[in-house]
Amino acid sequence: MKQVLVISDVPVFKVNAGNRKCIKEYCDVLRELGANVTMLLISNHNTDKNDIKETEIYFGKENFILYKSNFIEEVIHSVIVHFRKYVSKNHYRIDDLCHANILHFISKTTKKRHFDSVIVNYLYYSKILNYCNVKTKALFVHDDYIFNNIRFNRNYFTLTPNDEAKGLQRAPFIFAIQENEACLYNYLAPKSSILCVYSPFKFTKQEISNNKNILFFSGRNDWNVKGVTFFIDKVVPLIKNQFTLLIGGKICEILNEKKLPSNIILCGTYDSPDTFYQQGDIVINPVFNGSGLKIKTFEALSYGKITVVHKHSSIGIYKKESSPLFIVDNETEFAYVLDDILSFGIDRKTYQKKAELYIEDYNSHIKQQYKNILL
């Protein structure tokens, strides 16, 4: 049985964010393929104790290693963050957050315990790869950080191309989360093997409701709020058919229900998205900016829903041209496509089957990528 070490500063529980889901799901894939997976969690005073405990339970005591930062590290980290935020306007250096004590701890741990391969999560921990006594080394890059301040017109965590390239080139194998980013990494790290692994989604077949509900399920991320606001302000007035827009998830904590039309309902949070998605056959993803994997797009398809997305929310997805998505460019196209669907111009059972076959093919591709490199 192959021994795989996963290093992250993000717990996998509770699964309340896309990055947590991503790490948990690929650990599940590795287990399904017969690997024994160990998590090394880098924690600090902000890491929720219950999340640490639940993550340990998930992996088991023998397969869970916890690194706790000390007081001096916390002070240094705080100084760096404040300096970069207010003086450098969020322009970081690649190794700002990777302290010497972390490197020493990982070097010592990987000498003591035998691991066949390691996956380090996040570019800003790439230096760890130089200190892992492991044969096969991979970097899982959840986001790219080049010119974030310019791309998003905000003070996000930003790296120069040189610093991003420096981090990437430390990794013999790089796992990209979408195709456009994989292309970028090919240029920045020409000697590394780049694999697009996305993030797996289990297909869940639900009964066809044949109603006129439109669904949007989301967290409270800024881009999600802007996306649904665009849909409410620009698209909703153009839709001719009667419909009800159901919004679920933590985004409901941000939106003001009193300002919404009567056919838009905030459903609140759910313990499982299954319950929310049972309420209709049509899902939208109107998000028009942001980076990383288009989680809401894949999630909708994994429930067999007719999925209409802004073109941005199809960037870098698996086999985009043959996917069953309806991809739109503006509010007029959005309304036109939804009117056709609401008029039952699309056979919902046929679409559900197409979505199922697409997700099956997608998951097979992901498993093969991990199998080729790590197992």
Side-chain angles (χ1 to χ4, degrees):
M1 180 183 286
K2 293 288 186 178
Q3 304 293 321
V4 180
L5 176 65
V6 174
I7 300 176
S8 171
D9 63 345
V10 178
V12 298
F13 285 96
K14 306 181 185 74
V15 187
N16 55 8
N19 54 350
R20 295 185 179 209
K21 181 183 184 301
C22 175
I23 296 169
K24 178 190 176 298
E25 295 292 347
Y26 81 63
C27 287
D28 286 343
V29 167
L30 292 171
R31 285 172 159 181
E32 286 175 26
L33 292 171
N36 185 44
V37 182
T38 297
M39 161 68 85
L40 191 159
L41 178 63
I42 299 169
S43 69
N44 58 40
H45 71 281
N46 289 318
T47 311
D48 188 280
K49 290 182 180 179
N50 287 329
D51 290 356
I52 294 173
K53 186 177 179 180
E54 287 189 46
T55 300
E56 181 180 3
I57 291 170
Y58 170 75
F59 285 97
K61 285 190 176 182
E62 291 184 1
N63 287 10
F64 182 75
I65 303 166
L66 181 65
Y67 174 84
K68 292 183 179 180
S69 59
N70 59 39
F71 176 74
I72 294 175
E73 285 176 290
E74 297 279 340
V75 171
I76 293 171
H77 178 271
S78 180
V79 170
I80 289 172
V81 168
H82 279 79
F83 178 82
R84 296 302 185 201
K85 185 173 182 180
Y86 297 107
V87 180
S88 300
K89 296 182 180 178
N90 270 4
H91 283 75
Y92 280 74
R93 299 306 305 272
I94 184 64
D95 298 324
D96 275 347
L97 307 181
C98 194
H99 306 306
N101 284 354
I102 295 173
L103 302 175
H104 176 72
F105 178 85
I106 288 169
S107 176
K108 186 178 177 181
T109 300
T110 53
K111 280 179 181 176
K112 188 184 297 183
R113 294 180 58 171
H114 173 72
F115 295 102
D116 297 293
S117 51
V118 62
I119 303 174
V120 173
N121 287 274
Y122 287 104
L123 191 62
Y124 47 79
Y125 282 125
S126 59
K127 195 173 184 179
I128 287 173
L129 292 166
N130 295 339
Y131 291 79
C132 285
N133 296 282
V134 179
K135 183 180 178 182
T136 304
K137 302 177 183 181
L139 177 67
F140 197 112
V141 189
H142 293 259
D143 290 292
D144 66 278
Y145 303 106
I146 297 175
F147 300 135
N148 269 356
N149 57 324
I150 298 172
R151 287 191 294 151
F152 303 130
N153 196 29
R154 299 186 62 180
N155 284 332
Y156 282 164
F157 183 101
T158 297
L159 293 174
T160 64
N162 283 346
D163 260 11
E164 184 140 336
K166 180 180 178 180
L168 291 167
Q169 289 175 21
R170 290 166 171 160
F173 299 100
I174 296 170
F175 294 150
I177 206 163
Q178 51 121 305
E179 288 182 359
N180 284 25
E181 291 178 6
C183 291
L184 172 66
Y185 304 151
N186 270 305
Y187 284 99
L188 295 178
K191 292 184 178 180
S192 301
S193 295
I194 318 295
L195 297 96
C196 197
V197 293
Y198 305 98
S199 182
F201 285 83
K202 178 184 175 183
F203 186 81
T204 304
K205 190 171 184 178
Q206 296 185 329
E207 289 294 321
I208 303 292
S209 64
N210 282 318
N211 61 27
K212 292 195 173 187
N213 290 343
I214 297 174
L215 312 179
F216 180 66
F217 189 73
S218 167
R220 51 190 294 165
N221 177 285
D222 238 11
W223 293 120
N224 299 338
V225 175
K226 288 181 178 180
V228 78
T229 301
F230 153 76
F231 185 84
I232 292 168
D233 292 345
K234 303 293 185 181
V235 181
V236 166
L238 300 179
I239 300 174
K240 297 173 183 177
N241 274 272
Q242 288 188 338
F243 69 94
T244 301
L245 174 62
L246 303 179
I247 301 173
K250 288 197 172 183
I251 194 170
C252 296
E253 298 170 0
I254 303 294
L255 302 175
N256 188 343
E257 192 165 22
K258 293 179 181 179
K259 294 183 178 180
L260 299 176
S262 59
N263 64 333
I264 299 177
I265 300 171
L266 302 183
C267 301
T269 57
Y270 288 77
D271 291 333
S272 168
D274 293 33
T275 309
F276 177 77
Y277 283 113
Q278 286 171 358
Q279 300 178 88
D281 307 323
I282 308 164
V283 174
I284 57 164
N285 186 359
V287 177
F288 54 82
N289 212 333
S291 62
L293 183 70
K294 309 311 174 189
I295 291 173
K296 286 177 286 300
T297 298
F298 284 116
E299 184 175 75
L301 290 172
S302 75
Y303 284 96
K305 305 303 177 181
I306 300 176
T307 308
V308 188
V309 303
H310 186 280
K311 66 177 182 179
H312 171 82
S313 289
S314 68
I315 289 175
I317 70 163
Y318 178 68
K319 293 184 178 179
K320 178 179 175 178
E321 300 306 320
S322 59
S323 74
L325 294 174
F326 291 96
I327 301 170
V328 298
D329 194 20
N330 52 53
E331 58 266 34
T332 305
E333 289 182 15
F334 229 133
Y336 178 82
V337 170
L338 285 169
D339 268 323
D340 186 40
I341 297 166
L342 290 165
S343 300
F344 296 92
I346 306 297
D347 184 85
R348 301 188 181 193
K349 284 190 176 180
T350 301
Y351 186 95
Q352 185 183 63
K353 188 61 181 177
K354 286 182 180 178
E356 182 178 7
L357 293 173
Y358 174 82
I359 292 295
E360 284 178 1
D361 184 41
Y362 168 83
N363 286 330
S364 294
H365 165 83
I366 293 169
K367 287 181 180 180
Q368 195 59 49
Q369 298 288 77
Y370 285 114
K371 193 174 181 179
N372 289 345
I373 301 303
L374 301 177
L375 305 176

